């Protein structure tokens, strides 16, 4: 598609852009004019992050783990391999590790060094995940941080904090709620939130899902 073909927006659009949007547009124009990137490639990257990767992928993985014990076992053994063997999931990168919550154990994920995050299954990381207070406090006082996120864990539940690195990315498998016992895999996936797969949130109740949906 030529630049002329792309000139299909309403005139005056520039004035409605925010500063950051203008800067991104300017940067894109420079990179394209210098031949460093192609617009089609940028479009592909945006498409990738908007549609292909995101928490909806992780949610489907969790829902399948809830309904297919064999898949769950494989997932806990080698998450990358297990997911990539499923023909209907997008391919994920190496070093993905799934950790499972139970009645006695709650898992939560951080990257204390920077912001390593399982993009393939959760998409772009939330801002707080990259913040210094989260990265330090979740290690030193996890129970209190989880309380700030609205999670009241019983005193006898152990909390395990997993520190991501460039080599290891973690996906938390939350517990399936009892009410969800007879639900289909797509319905189950709708209950699984991004934060529940980081360990800083719960899965949705039916009421919450209906409000969100
Ligand atoms: Fe990191």
């Amino acid at each position: 598609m030529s630049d002329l073909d792309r000139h299909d927006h309403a005139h005056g659009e520039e004035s409605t852009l925010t500063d950051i949007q203008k800067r991104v547009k300017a940067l894109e124009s420079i990179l394209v004019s210098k031949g460093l990137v192609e617009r089609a490639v940028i479009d592909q990257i945006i498409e990738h992050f908007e549609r292909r990767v995101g928490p909806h992928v992780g949610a489907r993985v969790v829902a399948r783990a809830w309904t297919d014990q064999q898949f769950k076992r494989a997932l806990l053994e080698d998450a990358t391999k297990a997911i990539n063997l499923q023909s209907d999931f997008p391919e994920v990168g190496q070093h993905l590790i799934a950790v499972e919550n139970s009645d006695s154990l709650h898992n939560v994920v951080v990257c204390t060094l920077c912001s390593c995050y399982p993009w393939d299954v959760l998409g772009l990381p939330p801002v707080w995940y990259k913040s210094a207070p989260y990265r330090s406090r979740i290690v030193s006082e996890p129970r209190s941080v989880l309380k700030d996120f609205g999670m009241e864990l019983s005193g006898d539940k152990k909390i395990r904090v997993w520190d991501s690195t460039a080599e290891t990315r973690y996906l938390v498998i939350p517990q399936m709620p009892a009410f969800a016992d007879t639900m289909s895999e797509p319905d189950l996936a709708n209950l699984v939130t991004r934060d529940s797969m980081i360990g800083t949130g719960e899965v949705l109740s039916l009421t919450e899902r209906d409000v969100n949906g």
Side-chain angles (χ1 to χ4, degrees), residues 110-117 129 135 163-166 169:
V110 65
C111 175
T112 54
L113 205 61
C114 45
S115 57
C116 299
Y117 188 73
Y129 184 84
R135 284 158 43 207
D163 193 3
S164 316
T165 66
R169 308 293 164 98

Side-chain angles (χ1 to χ4, degrees), residues 41-205:
V41 174
I42 296 178
D43 288 346
Q44 274 172 20
I45 293 170
I46 292 170
E47 159 87 14
H48 182 75
F49 282 104
E50 280 187 347
R51 296 182 197 279
R52 271 180 62 82
V53 306
H56 61 283
V57 176
R60 289 179 62 205
V61 170
V62 169
R64 185 153 308 167
W66 282 347
T67 52
D68 180 339
Q69 290 304 306
Q70 201 181 338
F71 174 68
K72 187 167 87 176
R73 274 196 298 276
L75 189 70
L76 292 170
E77 206 170 290
D78 183 337
T80 299
K81 190 174 160 192
I83 293 169
N84 289 344
L85 279 173
Q86 305 283 307
S87 56
D88 57 339
F89 287 157
E91 194 172 322
V92 297
Q94 294 302 308
H95 313 302
L96 184 65
I97 296 169
V99 290
E100 187 185 17
N101 288 348
S102 69
D103 287 341
S104 56
L105 176 69
H106 182 80
N107 295 285
V108 61
V109 180
V110 65
C111 175
T112 54
L113 205 61
C114 45
S115 57
C116 299
Y117 188 73
W119 290 44
D120 293 337
V121 282
L122 296 189
L124 301 170
V127 172
W128 54 258
Y129 184 84
K130 298 181 272 185
S131 74
Y134 175 74
R135 284 158 43 207
S136 57
R137 283 187 60 221
I138 194 69
V139 178
S140 58
E141 41 175 342
R143 209 168 285 274
S144 152
V145 173
L146 292 179
K147 200 173 171 185
D148 291 346
F149 275 98
M151 298 188 79
E152 291 270 9
L153 298 184
S154 67
D156 55 353
K157 190 173 261 200
K158 217 175 128 189
I159 301 173
R160 192 170 288 162
V161 181
W162 298 89
D163 193 3
S164 316
T165 66
E167 297 282 283
T168 51
R169 308 293 164 98
Y170 296 95
L171 174 73
V172 174
I173 310 292
Q175 283 184 283
M176 186 176 86
F179 68 78
D181 216 18
T182 56
M183 288 169 66
S184 69
E185 190 182 296
D187 283 347
L188 288 170
N190 285 333
L191 302 174
V192 183
T193 62
R194 177 197 67 197
D195 288 4
S196 72
M197 294 181 281
I198 303 175
T200 53
E202 312 271 7
V203 298
L204 299 180
S205 66

